[in-house]
Amino acid sequence: MKLFKYLALNLFCLTLFISCDNAQEKVSENKEFKVDFETYTLDNGLQVIFHIDRSDPVVAVALTSHVGSAREIEGRTGFAHLFEHLLFLESENLGKGGLDKLSARIGGSGANGSTSRDRTNYFQTVPKDALEKMIWAEADKLGFFINTVTEPVLAKEKQVVKNEKRQRVDNAPYGHNFYVIHKNLYPEGHPYSWEVIGSLEDLQNATLQDVKDFYNRWYVPNNVTLTIAGDIDVDQAKKWVDKYFSEIKRGEDIPKMEKQPVTLSETKKLYYEDNFARVPQLTLTWPGVYQYHPDSYALEVLATYLAKGKKAPLYQTLVENMKLTDEVDSYQYNSEIAGQFMMQVTAFPDTNLQEVLNGIEEGLKKFEAEGISEADLNRIKAGQETAFYQGLSSVLGKGFQLAQYEIFAGDPGFVNQDVKNILAVTPDDVMRVYNQYIKGKNYVATSFVPKNQKALALIDSKLADVVEEPIVEGAEESFDASVVAEYEKTPSSFDRSVEPPYGESPDVKVPEVWKDELSSGIKLFGIENNEVPLVQYRIQLDGGMLLENSEKIGVSNLLASLMTQGTDTKTPEELENAIESLGATINTVATKEAIMIYGNTLAKNYDKTMSLIEEILLQPRWDEKEFELQKQSVLSQIERQKANPNSIAGIEFDKLMYGESNILSHDNFGTKESVEAITLDDLKTYYNTYFSPNITKFHVVGAVSQAEVSRSLTSLNDKWASKEVSFPEIAEIKHPETSKIYFYDFPGAKQSVLNFGYPAIAATHADFYPASLMNYRLGGGGFASQLTQELREGKGYTYGVRSGFTGSSIEGTFMISSGVRSNVTYESTALIKEILENYGKNFNENDLEITKGYMLKSGARAFETLNSKLSMLSNISNYNYPVDYAKQREATVKALTVEEVKALAEKYIRPDRMIYVIVGDAATQLDKLDQLGLGKPVLLNK
């Protein structure tokens, strides 16, 4: 066994770009930020990384295999991703349900995984007392898995993966874009010329022997890195790793993937008429560089500078001057052996993409003439610093980062060099890589346009070759998920079927909350946490759409979007520069019930960030030009929603649930007609009438004290005058007396989107939390839920399904949502209805035990991240929960009985009084729904 130890890994603060003149001022702020870690290698080749973080009683465990789609062969694409799915199902000693069932029992975050071109990882955060169980389980997956994969198991999981492809690719606007790009950017046979998810045909043709061969080649210890990060005893963890992993046999040597950069001999232009697109989209892709290539750092700065923000040349040309779009995107997609540099513009309706290309070329000429200044370069680096710390704000984030460097750079310590490379970028470097990789170079251009709008594509574009799956009844092979696999167990030196015991039970750490109220009426809620030098905040002004005129829905949304477009003393560009130079983000959003200002900042720049927020709140700019830009942006978003079956389902469900007389029935974006009618004066009226400190709540978590927060708000408190804000009565929600099916026709849909539900209870209702507990085994517990087990694992109908109660101080909903294969729309709906009808009757002691186990154990990780702490503060401030509500909920869980759950199910699970909304292909699916016995379906868009 080889042992290597790296201590005090320095993640240098990126403030090093500050000039020498300011060095003395910054000495106290440039403290060394460390992630201590230790690595060692088992004799079988398994790489192990340990990191200690005692901020919360949790541990993140990640198993990363150095295999992605790039290790596949043509004709058998999608295998790496298929394996990601298979490894969760069963292993010899975990049994059927595998890690998913274990996760529910131990209170884990949920077994999860992801696949890229070059690696597949499996990860979960668990209470620290479950660490040995996780090491045992991960070893079982790696060394004792393949015998459990049978023909029925493979047949079912093929359907799940194909459903995922339908949901993410086939049934989504522009879903086939990357397929077209990669097929034309990379030569035939290049490992990046096919998609990670693979093709439906290849997945269907996969044989059991193919699966076993793939596993035996790539899922071996010498191709895997195990990362354990959190509240751990390293010496004890090593002993467990040795016990469970050391006898897994080493595989054949894994050859290093050689770099395979590409060049294009000509520019390729392709188009595709997209059934799901409502506005045209242009994407330009140049051959780039592999991950961690010396030029990747300057290219990252180039991508940011060209497209992001008011100063960006492409933004100024395409958004402000030509008014062809509301946003320009530019980014790198770099992987282990090659990479690509991309620009993407989703244009306004009916925009000719040739005009967009002309605008891009004009913007690039502007950059060629002006370059990038030192100040702009430093502004971009400040944002990188904040993003860097955010990536390390959880134990899982730290674990991911260490594994990333181990696998792709050969050393977790590469983080030091990575940071130096970022800091070393100069303006000359940015111009150099532009000239080397972009200027005058060939690229792939894809024009994805709405159906029957080929004329909007680039001139001389050729039709892209895209395989569209037909909707065929009974096309999927059948399988019996109940069949128990029979196999000979893999020999081991000890009995691996015995699940390890829990360790010492962790003390649940509920963050200490402080509260205050300023003289102006602003209510403060905070949690001090110094784990990383970041502060995260959320300012909530109650009201949102609730305070709008129902004839002009969309005012609060437009107002929120305009708030960060300059102030009375700063132009939009000046405000943006001021924010980004601090390494901060200030975002604004409107919901149906509030306007939010939220974001994060480096702790050292917290006061300056708050000063900018004060300026945004008290000195609005009311810029007519920016107002028109934001208005056009909203209108474009409304148009794009029409191409999204999930958006359609949500909007139609709200209309039916709340009824026309209730303002909550509206989408807070508004409609094309309502937004076109809104004027800048409407926004001013809303601001002058409803912006007041006495309806404002300030939530803040991170490396800032209560005293510092109060002091930072002194000026705002003194200057912001309170006013009386009257909230209108909300129309009563009428509960349906019978169930009814409503169908929205989306011709050619590969999936049907299901939104089933009805009015339920507010978050302030005494039954809200108990009802959520009742729902855990129905559809709130992921793979521990009956809906997932039946629809996904049992039938292969869907990639995912969930149910849940949502609410605020206003009555909320109970909803079931899913995307199912089109040709089983009726079958899926009937099965959901049957599950609902029997759920309460069949709930038993085992269900209760699983529910209690998860809810009690998961408390250890409930408040690990800054985001989770912010959510806790929102619950306390909005619903008047006590500061120790998490502890009080433990008592509720412990006292819960089967009889109480049955009573809650009878009261709140009502399939006989439900609104069933389905968005799908009416031509093939509508008529069959008559068989449900819920009356003739109502077609919503005749």
Side-chain angles (χ1 to χ4, degrees), residues 79 132 150 184 245 264 341 583 683 790:
F79 263 62
E132 187 182 3
T150 61
N184 288 277
F245 279 94
L264 289 173
F341 187 96
L683 273 60
E790 294 276 358

Side-chain angles (χ1 to χ4, degrees), residues 653-667:
F653 181 86
D654 282 355
K655 287 179 186 177
L656 293 163
M657 192 186 90
Y658 291 108
E660 291 182 9
S661 62
N662 191 313
I663 196 164
L664 293 172
S665 66
H666 298 282
D667 175 22

Side-chain angles (χ1 to χ4, degrees), residues 252-435:
E252 295 179 24
D253 288 342
I254 305 296
K256 183 180 178 181
M257 290 282 284
E258 298 299 326
K259 306 304 180 190
Q260 297 185 42
V262 297
T263 56
L264 289 173
S265 59
E266 61 178 351
T267 290
K268 301 178 182 180
K269 299 179 182 179
L270 302 112
Y271 80 92
Y272 187 68
E273 293 183 48
D274 191 328
N275 185 49
F276 295 90
R278 291 296 179 270
V279 295
Q281 183 184 85
L282 176 66
T283 308
L284 307 182
T285 306
W286 287 263
V289 298
Y290 58 81
Q291 197 164 34
Y292 305 132
H293 185 287
D295 287 343
S296 65
Y297 303 93
L299 282 165
E300 188 65 25
V301 172
L302 174 66
T304 302
Y305 183 69
L306 285 176
K308 303 289 195 302
K310 300 291 184 182
K311 285 195 74 173
L314 297 180
Y315 182 93
Q316 290 183 340
T317 302
L318 292 163
V319 178
E320 294 195 345
N321 298 338
M322 300 178 74
K323 297 180 173 55
L324 299 177
T325 181
D326 60 338
E327 186 179 14
V328 184
D329 204 5
S330 182
Y331 54 93
Q332 292 186 95
Y333 180 9
N334 295 345
S335 304
E336 185 177 10
I337 62 172
Q340 55 208 61
F341 187 96
M342 307 182 71
M343 295 178 191
Q344 191 168 77
V345 178
T346 304
F348 290 142
D350 302 319
T351 298
N352 191 302
L353 293 179
Q354 191 64 46
E355 292 183 58
V356 173
L357 180 59
N358 295 341
I360 290 174
E361 291 171 347
E362 184 180 326
L364 293 179
K365 286 178 183 176
K366 178 179 173 65
F367 170 72
E368 291 169 17
E370 300 174 0
I372 181 174
S373 68
E374 194 76 45
D376 285 322
L377 180 60
N378 289 344
R379 168 177 59 84
I380 291 170
K381 287 178 180 178
Q384 291 175 328
E385 179 180 5
T386 302
F388 180 75
Y389 287 131
Q390 282 182 307
L392 297 170
S393 63
S394 69
V395 291
L396 190 59
K398 295 182 183 79
F400 276 163
Q401 194 75 0
L402 292 170
Q404 173 82 3
Y405 289 123
E406 167 66 31
I407 292 171
F408 298 119
D411 177 10
F414 182 76
V415 67
N416 284 323
Q417 188 59 48
D418 203 17
V419 170
K420 291 176 184 176
N421 291 347
I422 293 170
L423 297 174
V425 174
T426 67
D428 287 343
D429 289 330
V430 179
M431 184 59 74
R432 176 182 58 78
V433 295
Y434 169 75
N435 288 325

Side-chain angles (χ1 to χ4, degrees), residues 809-860:
S809 56
I810 301 169
E811 185 177 9
T813 64
F814 171 76
M815 182 183 287
I816 298 159
S817 56
S818 184
V820 302
R821 199 171 73 233
S822 277
N823 60 6
V824 290
T825 301
Y826 159 73
E827 291 82 354
S828 300
T829 304
L831 182 54
I832 290 172
K833 181 170 173 285
E834 179 185 338
I835 291 170
L836 294 176
E837 288 168 345
N838 295 312
Y839 179 67
K841 303 173 195 172
N842 296 337
F843 193 90
N844 57 37
E845 288 290 344
N846 180 60
D847 295 317
L848 182 66
E849 182 182 349
I850 292 172
T851 300
K852 285 187 173 185
Y854 174 80
M855 293 298 176
L856 293 173
K857 286 286 186 183
S858 62

Side-chain angles (χ1 to χ4, degrees), residues 335-546:
S335 304
E336 185 177 10
I337 62 172
Q340 55 208 61
F341 187 96
M342 307 182 71
M343 295 178 191
Q344 191 168 77
V345 178
T346 304
F348 290 142
D350 302 319
T351 298
N352 191 302
L353 293 179
Q354 191 64 46
E355 292 183 58
V356 173
L357 180 59
N358 295 341
I360 290 174
E361 291 171 347
E362 184 180 326
L364 293 179
K365 286 178 183 176
K366 178 179 173 65
F367 170 72
E368 291 169 17
E370 300 174 0
I372 181 174
S373 68
E374 194 76 45
D376 285 322
L377 180 60
N378 289 344
R379 168 177 59 84
I380 291 170
K381 287 178 180 178
Q384 291 175 328
E385 179 180 5
T386 302
F388 180 75
Y389 287 131
Q390 282 182 307
L392 297 170
S393 63
S394 69
V395 291
L396 190 59
K398 295 182 183 79
F400 276 163
Q401 194 75 0
L402 292 170
Q404 173 82 3
Y405 289 123
E406 167 66 31
I407 292 171
F408 298 119
D411 177 10
F414 182 76
V415 67
N416 284 323
Q417 188 59 48
D418 203 17
V419 170
K420 291 176 184 176
N421 291 347
I422 293 170
L423 297 174
V425 174
T426 67
D428 287 343
D429 289 330
V430 179
M431 184 59 74
R432 176 182 58 78
V433 295
Y434 169 75
N435 288 325
Q436 183 173 344
Y437 297 100
I438 308 302
K439 184 179 179 181
K441 300 298 186 290
N442 293 319
Y443 55 84
V444 174
T446 56
S447 302
F448 272 63
V449 298
K451 282 286 187 184
N452 305 315
Q453 294 192 34
K454 174 188 170 184
L456 300 182
L458 293 186
I459 297 170
D460 298 327
S461 291
K462 296 179 180 178
L463 179 64
D465 179 22
V466 174
V467 178
E468 290 274 13
E469 180 192 25
I471 303 171
V472 179
E473 293 300 313
E476 303 293 341
E477 62 181 295
S478 60
F479 61 88
D480 184 354
S482 66
V483 173
V484 177
E486 294 183 3
Y487 49 83
E488 184 177 339
K489 276 200 166 188
T490 305
S492 176
S493 62
F494 63 97
D495 186 359
R496 289 178 175 266
S497 66
V498 178
E499 181 177 325
Y502 284 107
E504 184 180 347
S505 185
D507 292 327
V508 176
K509 295 182 180 179
V510 177
E512 186 176 337
V513 176
W514 59 263
K515 298 195 292 187
D516 198 4
E517 183 170 345
L518 303 182
S519 59
S520 62
I522 300 175
K523 296 177 178 62
L524 309 181
F525 302 83
I527 296 171
E528 184 175 356
N529 180 278
N530 294 291
E531 186 179 345
V532 289
L534 284 179
V535 177
Q536 210 159 305
Y537 62 88
R538 184 185 301 147
I539 301 169
Q540 175 180 316
L541 290 89
D542 291 339
M545 189 181 71
L546 291 178

Side-chain angles (χ1 to χ4, degrees), residues 72-308:
E72 298 163 352
I73 58 174
E74 285 189 282
R76 287 295 182 266
T77 63
F79 263 62
H81 178 248
L82 177 63
F83 260 89
E84 178 205 319
H85 283 249
L86 288 170
L87 254 74
F88 289 115
L89 300 180
E90 184 174 0
S91 56
E92 292 181 19
N93 302 291
L94 271 168
K96 198 161 187 176
L99 202 53
D100 292 319
K101 285 186 176 179
L102 178 68
S103 174
R105 286 192 287 107
I106 65 178
S109 59
N112 211 335
S114 68
T115 308
S116 74
R117 288 166 162 174
D118 306 302
R119 62 100 188 105
T120 307
N121 63 3
Y122 307 87
F123 51 90
Q124 183 167 196
T125 302
V126 301
K128 72 174 187 177
D129 65 345
L131 176 58
E132 187 182 3
K133 292 176 184 286
M134 280 299 297
I135 294 173
W136 165 74
E138 294 295 344
D140 211 51
K141 283 164 51 182
L142 182 62
F144 303 84
F145 152 76
I146 195 61
N147 290 340
T148 68
V149 182
T150 61
E151 292 288 1
V153 169
L154 180 60
K156 187 271 295 181
E157 209 57 32
K158 284 181 187 178
Q159 294 198 22
V160 171
V161 172
K162 288 192 282 185
N163 284 328
E164 181 179 358
K165 182 178 185 293
R166 294 180 186 109
Q167 181 171 313
R168 294 185 173 181
V169 178
D170 302 342
N171 220 52
Y174 321 113
H176 295 290
N177 191 24
F178 275 90
Y179 168 81
V180 175
I181 291 169
H182 296 152
K183 196 176 174 74
N184 288 277
L185 179 67
Y186 297 100
E188 186 176 355
H190 190 287
Y192 295 165
S193 64
W194 54 82
E195 297 306 283
V196 172
I197 203 164
S199 75
L200 293 179
E201 182 181 3
D202 285 357
L203 287 168
Q204 190 57 46
N205 291 337
T207 68
L208 188 57
Q209 190 59 49
D210 290 332
V211 170
K212 291 186 176 184
D213 291 344
F214 191 89
Y215 171 81
N216 290 326
R217 182 70 183 99
W218 304 112
Y219 277 82
V220 289
N222 48 306
N223 198 41
V224 167
T225 298
L226 175 68
T227 310
I228 301 173
D231 190 0
I232 60 174
D233 178 330
V234 172
D235 290 338
Q236 179 60 73
K238 284 181 189 174
K239 292 175 183 177
W240 288 333
V241 171
D242 290 343
K243 175 180 179 179
Y244 295 109
F245 279 94
S246 62
E247 69 177 8
I248 301 174
K249 293 180 181 178
R250 181 186 183 95
E252 295 179 24
D253 288 342
I254 305 296
K256 183 180 178 181
M257 290 282 284
E258 298 299 326
K259 306 304 180 190
Q260 297 185 42
V262 297
T263 56
L264 289 173
S265 59
E266 61 178 351
T267 290
K268 301 178 182 180
K269 299 179 182 179
L270 302 112
Y271 80 92
Y272 187 68
E273 293 183 48
D274 191 328
N275 185 49
F276 295 90
R278 291 296 179 270
V279 295
Q281 183 184 85
L282 176 66
T283 308
L284 307 182
T285 306
W286 287 263
V289 298
Y290 58 81
Q291 197 164 34
Y292 305 132
H293 185 287
D295 287 343
S296 65
Y297 303 93
L299 282 165
E300 188 65 25
V301 172
L302 174 66
T304 302
Y305 183 69
L306 285 176
K308 303 289 195 302

Side-chain angles (χ1 to χ4, degrees), residues 750-754 818-822 825 918-921 925:
K750 310 303 181 194
Q751 280 194 321
S752 294
V753 174
L754 315 180
S818 184
V820 302
R821 199 171 73 233
S822 277
T825 301
I918 300 172
V919 178
D921 182 64
Q925 304 306 310

